[in-house]
């Protein structure tokens, strides 16, 4: 006979640690395991059951800490006497595969799992640096978990059962309505909720609009060089030819767009360019809008790091100047967490339908997360969160700038007025790839500026230092390790 049974395992509470007790902070995970017993195999039934359980433990179908079902319940399920199950459990306990404790039931012991073959090398976890200076993450420790859970509980308690079906692929109407009001109020955009589409993030939204561009016959898109590599990858994946366009102290060099007449779309981050940190000047903004009107083109505005400015109020969006020519892209990845997977695209009316036609099979966040974020916006919790973390980032930013001035006085810093990263230009005697490798050897991750360049002919080496997910106590140590890596690289080049 074959039997499916649901086994429960305690949730891991730390690396390599399993709890035998279920506390209020733990939940039980459950899954179905197929046990084959009594199908003509030789030996008594209790030996067959023990063998089936032993095999499930060895091959990992029953992980460490799994709670086996009570003997009476399992006996009823497989149609045998309770004695058969208790004998099988006793045999496994004698062999060290399970451990029976009063009040905790019978659970798989670590000894049994340790006897199994080690996982293959490709299953090993990715390297986690001790100090992470790579850009792209906010302060994950600052996520407002208690307020988020409270908002989620409030939303879930009043959620009609009709909302538990498949999410609206355009985004929940309530979130689109609230987002429209927020972007109009805070970012100076002109937003009609009918033309807001909720997506998984900026890269997802950019990929969709690039596919719509390709379907409309536009074959080339300009991107900032240097710039965020995920956006140019999304454009290339959509089948567009990517045309690198330089950036200087005033932002994107708009005049360069006319060098390629096939370019009728451009991806730009005007409020805080990544990674240089420059703001697109007023003159360049006007010139870029004039270009889009002249070539009947489209501007894809990545509203990157707009919430974090330390020298003045954030600059408003280009979309608010001409919503017929600008697609506005945004997300909560830098303000809350990329794990939420909530982003949005505000499109000109002519592009809303083509964009939505490019949605993938899993191209929307969950309804509960969308409504929780809508509640955050409506109650002012999001604004309060941004004010709090803006102060935190400002203090960390100032500390990092002072530390760099002390340890690397000859370095040239860019992007110091906003955002969650700094661009550190070094002299030509430094091999930044070598610095990155030396930093990694000391347990620290930093990013080479060349990672974000399209062309390899640049002569100014640099590092991009993200401080969003860096703890305040790590700043001085991080800069000291970085200075050591730079010094080692310089010596290596002159040796």
């Amino acid at each position: 006979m074959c039997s499916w049974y649901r086994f429960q395992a305690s949730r891991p509470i730390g690396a390599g640690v399993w709890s035998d007790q279920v506390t209020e902070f733990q939940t039980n995970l459950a899954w179905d395991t197929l046990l084959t017993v009594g199908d003509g195999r030789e030996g008594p039934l209790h030996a067959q059951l023990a063998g089936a359980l032993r095999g499930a433990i060895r091959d990992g179908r029953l992980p460490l800490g799994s709670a086996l079902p009570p003997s009476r319940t399992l006996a009823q399920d497989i149609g045998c006497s309770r004695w058969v199950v208790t004998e099988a459990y006793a045999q496994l306990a004698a062999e060290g595969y399970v451990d029976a404790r009063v009040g905790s039931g019978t659970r798989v012991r670590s000894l049994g799992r340790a006897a199994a073959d080690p996982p293959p090398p490709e299953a090993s976890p990715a390297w986690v640096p001790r100090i992470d200076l790579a850009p792209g993450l906010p302060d994950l420790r600052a996520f407002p978990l208690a307020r988020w859970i409270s908002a989620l509980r409030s939303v879930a308690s009043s959620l009609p059962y009709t909302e538990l079906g498949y999410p609206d692929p355009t985004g929940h109407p309530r979130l689109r309505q609230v987002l429209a009001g927020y972007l109009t109020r805070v970012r100076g955009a002109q937003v009609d909720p009918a033309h807001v589409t909720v997506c998984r993030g900026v890269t997802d939204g950019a990929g969709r609009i690039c596919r719509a561009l390709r379907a409309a016959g536009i074959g080339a898109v300009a991107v900032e060089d240097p710039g965020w590599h995920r956006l140019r990858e999304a454009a290339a994946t959509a089948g567009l030819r990517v045309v690198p366009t330089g950036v200087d102290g005033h932002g994107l060099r708009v005049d360069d767009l006319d060098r390629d007449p096939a370019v009728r779309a451009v991806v730009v981050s005007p409020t805080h360019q990544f990674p240089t940190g420059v703001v697109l000047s007023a003159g360049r903004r006007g010139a870029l809008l004039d270009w889009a009107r002249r070539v009947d083109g489209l501007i894809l505005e990545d509203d990157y790091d707009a919430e974090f400015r330390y020298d003045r109020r954030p600059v408003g969006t280009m979309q608010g100047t001409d919503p017929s020519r600008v697609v506005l892209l945004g997300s909560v990845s830098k303000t809350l967490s990329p794990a939420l997977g909530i982003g949005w695209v505000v499109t000109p009316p002519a592009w809303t339908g083509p964009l939505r036609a490019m949605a993938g099979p899993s191209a929307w966040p969950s309804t509960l997360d969308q409504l929780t974020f809508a509640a955050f916006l409506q109650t002012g919790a999001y604004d309060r969160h941004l004010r709090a973390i803006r102060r935190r980032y400002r203090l960390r930013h100032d500390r990092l700038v002072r530390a760099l001035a002390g340890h690397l006085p000859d370095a040239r810093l860019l992007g110091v007025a906003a955002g969650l990263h700094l661009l550190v230009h070094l002299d030509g005697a430094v091999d930044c790839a070598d610095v990155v490798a030396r930093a990694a050897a000391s347990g620290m991750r930093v990013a080479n500026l060349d990672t974000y360049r399209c062309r390899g002919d640049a002569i100014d080496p640099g590092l991009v230092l993200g401080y969003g997910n860096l703890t305040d106590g790590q700043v001085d140590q991080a800069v000291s390790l970085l200075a050591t890596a730079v010094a080692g690289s310089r010596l290596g080049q002159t040796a």
Side-chain angles (χ1 to χ4, degrees):
M1 66 187 73
C2 295
S3 175
W4 283 98
Y5 200 84
R6 178 164 303 210
F7 293 90
Q8 293 186 330
S10 292
R11 186 179 182 177
I13 59 174
V17 179
W18 289 83
S19 171
D20 287 337
Q21 300 294 331
V22 179
T23 70
E24 71 171 307
F25 300 109
Q26 291 178 268
T27 59
N28 282 343
L29 306 177
W31 60 94
D32 293 323
T33 303
L34 179 65
L35 301 177
T36 305
V37 293
D39 58 350
R41 296 182 181 182
E42 295 183 359
L45 192 58
H46 68 83
Q48 292 185 39
L49 178 58
L53 290 169
R54 188 185 298 112
I57 293 171
R58 283 176 173 172
D59 63 21
R61 283 179 291 141
L62 289 177
L64 312 187
S66 300
L68 274 60
S71 58
R72 187 186 307 277
T73 305
L74 184 55
Q76 291 175 349
D77 188 61
I78 65 178
C80 66
S81 69
R82 185 182 179 190
W83 177 87
V84 170
V85 179
T86 56
E87 282 294 299
Y89 283 4
Q91 181 63 32
L92 292 175
E95 295 174 4
Y97 285 96
V98 299
D99 187 16
R101 296 182 184 178
V102 176
S104 183
T106 303
R107 293 180 177 271
V108 177
R109 293 182 59 185
S110 60
L111 178 62
R113 185 64 182 91
D117 293 333
E122 60 269 21
S124 300
W127 175 61
V128 178
R130 182 167 48 88
I131 299 175
D132 196 353
L133 279 172
L137 279 178
D139 192 338
L140 302 180
R141 304 164 194 81
F143 182 81
L145 187 59
R147 292 198 297 274
W148 185 268
I149 291 174
S150 177
L152 174 61
R153 184 180 295 113
S154 176
V155 164
S157 65
S158 59
L159 190 70
Y161 74 89
T162 53
E163 298 278 22
L164 297 177
Y166 290 104
D168 185 335
T170 68
H172 195 283
R174 188 188 308 171
L175 177 56
R176 292 193 285 116
Q177 181 77 38
V178 175
L179 261 176
Y182 174 82
L183 294 172
T184 300
R185 171 175 60 87
V186 176
R187 300 297 302 122
Q190 296 186 46
V191 186
D192 181 342
H195 301 295
V196 176
T197 303
V198 178
C199 59
R200 298 293 299 177
V202 169
T203 302
D204 174 37
R208 289 201 223 175
I209 194 66
C210 285
R211 292 195 295 274
L213 288 167
R214 186 76 179 97
I218 296 176
V221 60
V223 299
E224 296 169 319
D225 185 18
W228 185 243
H229 58 301
R230 301 295 184 197
L231 295 182
R232 66 172 182 259
E233 289 168 1
T237 301
L240 297 179
R241 180 167 58 87
V242 174
V243 180
T245 306
V247 174
D248 59 23
H250 298 282
L252 181 80
R253 293 204 291 260
V254 178
D255 290 344
D256 291 353
L257 295 176
D258 289 324
R259 293 180 178 179
D260 191 331
V263 172
R264 288 178 50 207
V266 58
V267 182
V268 63
S269 46
T271 56
H272 184 236
Q273 202 274 334
F274 180 89
T276 66
V278 301
V279 176
L280 190 65
S281 67
R284 295 276 178 93
R285 283 183 169 224
L288 185 56
L289 289 168
D290 288 342
W291 169 86
R293 298 179 189 118
R294 176 164 46 84
V295 302
D296 189 23
L298 196 64
I299 300 169
L300 278 60
E301 179 180 8
D302 177 12
D303 203 23
Y304 179 78
D305 271 356
E307 299 84 359
F308 306 119
R309 185 140 204 108
Y310 310 124
D311 60 343
R312 60 185 180 189
R313 292 187 59 82
V315 180
T317 66
M318 288 186 65
Q319 190 271 354
T321 305
D322 190 347
S324 68
R325 289 292 173 187
V326 183
V327 173
L328 181 64
L329 299 152
S331 78
V332 300
S333 294
K334 303 297 187 299
T335 56
L336 287 171
S337 165
L340 294 176
I342 297 177
W344 52 87
V345 187
V346 181
T347 41
W351 287 96
T352 300
L355 171 86
R356 291 176 176 175
M358 298 299 162
S362 301
W364 48 79
S366 76
T367 298
L368 282 174
D369 283 340
Q370 290 187 56
L371 291 176
T372 302
F373 181 48
F376 247 53
L377 290 168
Q378 284 181 300
T379 61
Y382 190 59
D383 288 333
R384 291 191 294 273
H385 170 71
L386 288 179
R387 283 196 295 270
I389 60 172
R390 193 178 292 121
R391 290 192 295 268
R392 175 182 297 206
Y393 289 144
R394 175 61 190 263
L395 293 174
R396 189 176 304 161
H397 157 277
D398 292 348
R399 185 171 182 176
L400 179 60
V401 170
R402 287 195 301 269
L404 287 168
H407 287 85
L408 294 169
D410 296 330
R412 182 166 54 94
L413 305 185
L414 294 179
V416 297
L420 302 179
H421 75 272
L422 296 174
L423 175 55
V424 181
H425 278 297
L426 302 169
D427 61 76
V430 177
D431 180 350
C432 285
D434 183 55
V435 172
V436 170
R438 290 173 182 269
S442 65
M444 183 170 69
R445 177 159 52 198
V446 298
N448 189 343
L449 175 60
D450 286 347
T451 302
Y452 309 107
R453 285 173 166 145
C454 301
R455 298 168 291 198
D457 56 354
I459 60 173
D460 50 341
L463 301 170
V464 184
L465 308 183
Y467 55 86
N469 201 34
L470 185 71
T471 67
D472 296 332
Q474 290 178 323
V475 171
D476 293 330
Q477 182 187 9
V479 175
S480 177
L481 289 172
L482 180 64
T484 300
V486 169
S489 175
R490 185 176 284 112
L491 287 174
Q493 295 297 309
T494 58

